[in-house]
Amino acid sequence: VQLQASGGGLVQAGGSLRLSCEASGRTFSSYTVGWFRQAPGKEREFVLAISSTDGTWYGDSAKGRFTIARDNAKNTVYLQMNRLKPDDTAVYYCAAGAPSMMAAALEYDYWGQGTLVTVSS
């Protein structure tokens, strides 16, 4: 599976962005897809994940502001980010796999290249 993350950019605080994670491969629908982010000088952080059965898991930073959805017909998972804050500035990565712990980056098998989100104050 190859993943391509896109949709990042510069946005003002309070604004919204939608990131996309497009996958190649016929078995994409069977994978859990997670979004992680990494800010400069910080550890990679779990944001959200969606399972093959549309179960969702939220990291603390995403609760109440971000949502995740998948369109298996398009082999794409979307991360909708609302009410963005400067602290959301990071490179956002999507990953796919069959993790037993959704927030554990090491349990994902496939990673996209990342897309940069910059939130200005």
Side-chain angles (χ1 to χ4, degrees), residues 45-90:
E45 176 189 14
F46 171 73
V47 180
L48 279 169
I50 186 166
S51 72
S52 60
T53 56
D54 288 342
T56 53
W57 285 258
Y58 290 77
D60 288 341
S61 62
K63 292 175 182 176
R65 299 188 299 129
F66 298 176
T67 57
I68 190 169
R70 69 191 302 158
D71 185 340
N72 289 329
K74 296 182 178 180
N75 273 5
T76 302
V77 168
Y78 302 100
L79 173 61
Q80 178 67 44
M81 304 187 294
N82 300 321
R83 302 200 303 278
L84 284 160
K85 307 173 184 178
D87 285 349
D88 294 319
T89 295

